[in-house]
Amino acid sequence: MARANVSQLTPEWEMKMEYILADGLDRPNFDRSDRIAAFARAEAMAMHGHTLIWYAQGKEAFAGLSGAAFDRAFDGYIATVAGRYRGKVRSWDVVNEPILDDGSGMRDCHWSARYGHDGYILRAFEKARIADPDAVLFLNEYNQESVPAKGAQFLKLVERLLKAGCPLQGLGLQSHLWIDIPDGVIAAYVREISQFGLPIHVSELDCTLRTENRLDLRSQADRIAAQGARVTELASAFAALPKAQQFAFTVWGLRDTDSWYRQGDKDDGKDKPLPFDSFGRPNPMAAAIAAGFETPA
């Protein structure tokens, strides 16, 4: 399926710090990420590195480190990972998800405790630029296009980083959508974020049919129609961007059964968050993506 439908790969887990440093800072594990990189190269696919620094990972590996030792480990990790894939990846998510869910501010984490909320981001981008001068460096976040306060916080962060001289070169919209996002909100945000003139990566697209409303009695067909409207709106808004800003349009998996929404005991077997079903047949979401690219906003 990937060979027929994909021109760029993003490892979902294998390049994250929790996997690479599972055995500790002194024993990084690149077995799976190396295999993915080799596959991408053999199939003439681009590769997007995901992710160097994430608030949710690294605390255990860095436990007990402070001061200069923490700095050496932080800088060294980025140099080792980004340096290993220099020339093999097109781009990196340098920092992932720095903003609180409600958009009220920046997340506190082990990185910000040492360098400050903006400081750890600046340091990560600076070290990534040194390690891989040719890669496009992205800041990646979710729910900007669907939670107005979070979108506003993201825009403010980008402004601060650019003003501080951060080598930030691209903006990642994860686009984990849901069917009840109001009409027009996604397109409006894409237009707003495009004003920076930076490349935009729809980096982790999926769209669940689930809602948190237990009294939602819509049929499966109605849910799929709502999903199609949201996905088409996103694809159309992306296709309307200047070509130089259309970096990539990435889905977070191909088949429904591969999705994180279909894992665990909450899976009822009915969600269809991705473009293909478990047999590799196109879902309505595939048509929704195509429709968006055929009719840019």
Side-chain angles (χ1 to χ4, degrees):
M1 286 192 66
R3 290 185 178 96
N5 295 284
V6 170
S7 61
Q8 176 173 292
L9 295 179
T10 302
E12 288 190 11
W13 183 254
E14 295 81 2
M15 275 187 163
K16 287 189 168 82
M17 187 180 287
E18 190 170 23
Y19 183 83
I20 291 175
L21 297 185
D23 296 325
L25 276 165
D26 58 343
R27 297 180 63 188
N29 182 7
F30 298 106
D31 58 350
R32 293 186 181 182
S33 50
D34 281 352
R35 289 201 297 272
I36 295 171
F39 176 83
R41 185 169 186 174
E43 299 297 329
M45 296 176 182
M47 185 165 167
H48 177 70
H50 174 81
T51 176
L52 291 173
I53 298 296
W54 187 21
Y55 79 91
Q57 295 185 355
K59 189 172 183 178
E60 292 182 0
F62 279 69
L65 299 179
S66 61
F70 191 102
D71 297 345
R72 286 192 297 270
F74 185 91
D75 298 349
Y77 177 80
I78 294 174
T80 297
V81 178
R84 185 182 187 90
Y85 296 102
R86 179 174 175 172
K88 298 179 181 179
V89 301
R90 179 189 182 200
S91 47
W92 279 101
D93 287 331
V94 178
V95 174
N96 196 46
E97 302 175 358
I99 298 171
L100 290 168
D101 282 347
D102 64 1
S104 61
M106 304 288 288
R107 293 184 189 274
D108 292 326
C109 62
H110 43 294
W111 314 124
S112 65
R114 171 64 179 162
Y115 304 117
H117 288 124
D118 290 5
Y120 85 87
I121 301 173
L122 286 164
R123 190 180 185 103
F125 272 90
E126 289 164 358
K127 299 305 177 182
R129 177 76 299 147
I130 294 169
D132 193 348
D134 297 323
V136 184
L137 305 182
F138 280 83
L139 180 68
N140 196 46
E141 185 58 271
Y142 66 96
N143 283 3
Q144 307 112 286
E145 66 274 75
S146 51
V147 178
K150 191 166 188 178
Q153 194 68 239
F154 186 82
L155 297 174
K156 292 176 183 177
L157 173 59
V158 172
E159 289 176 353
R160 294 197 306 272
L161 293 174
L162 293 176
K163 186 176 181 180
C166 180
L168 168 63
Q169 297 172 298
L171 306 176
L173 303 180
Q174 291 186 18
S175 299
H176 294 296
L177 306 181
W178 62 90
I179 58 177
D180 291 326
I181 299 172
D183 183 46
V185 168
I186 296 170
Y189 185 77
V190 173
R191 288 192 296 270
E192 188 170 12
I193 201 172
S194 71
Q195 294 176 20
F196 289 108
L198 296 173
I200 293 174
H201 183 193
V202 172
S203 58
E204 304 181 22
L205 172 63
D206 47 30
C207 187
T208 180
L209 300 177
R210 301 175 187 171
T211 72
E212 296 181 357
N213 180 5
R214 296 182 179 180
L215 299 179
D216 187 344
L217 300 178
R218 283 176 293 184
S219 67
Q220 184 81 338
D222 287 343
R223 291 170 185 259
I224 289 173
Q227 177 196 61
R230 299 289 69 78
V231 171
T232 294
E233 181 181 335
L234 175 66
S236 180
F238 181 85
L241 293 169
K243 290 295 183 182
Q245 290 187 264
Q246 297 178 28
F247 183 79
F249 196 89
T250 302
V251 291
W252 207 231
L254 290 173
R255 300 173 302 180
D256 293 330
T257 46
D258 298 329
S259 173
W260 63 293
Y261 282 118
R262 294 290 301 271
Q263 309 304 313
D265 56 9
K266 293 183 179 180
D267 178 27
D268 60 5
K270 297 179 181 180
D271 204 1
K272 297 180 179 295
L274 291 170
F276 298 93
D277 68 14
S278 59
F279 298 100
R281 299 172 300 199
N283 279 332
M285 182 173 165
I289 294 171
F293 278 92
E294 289 169 1
T295 56

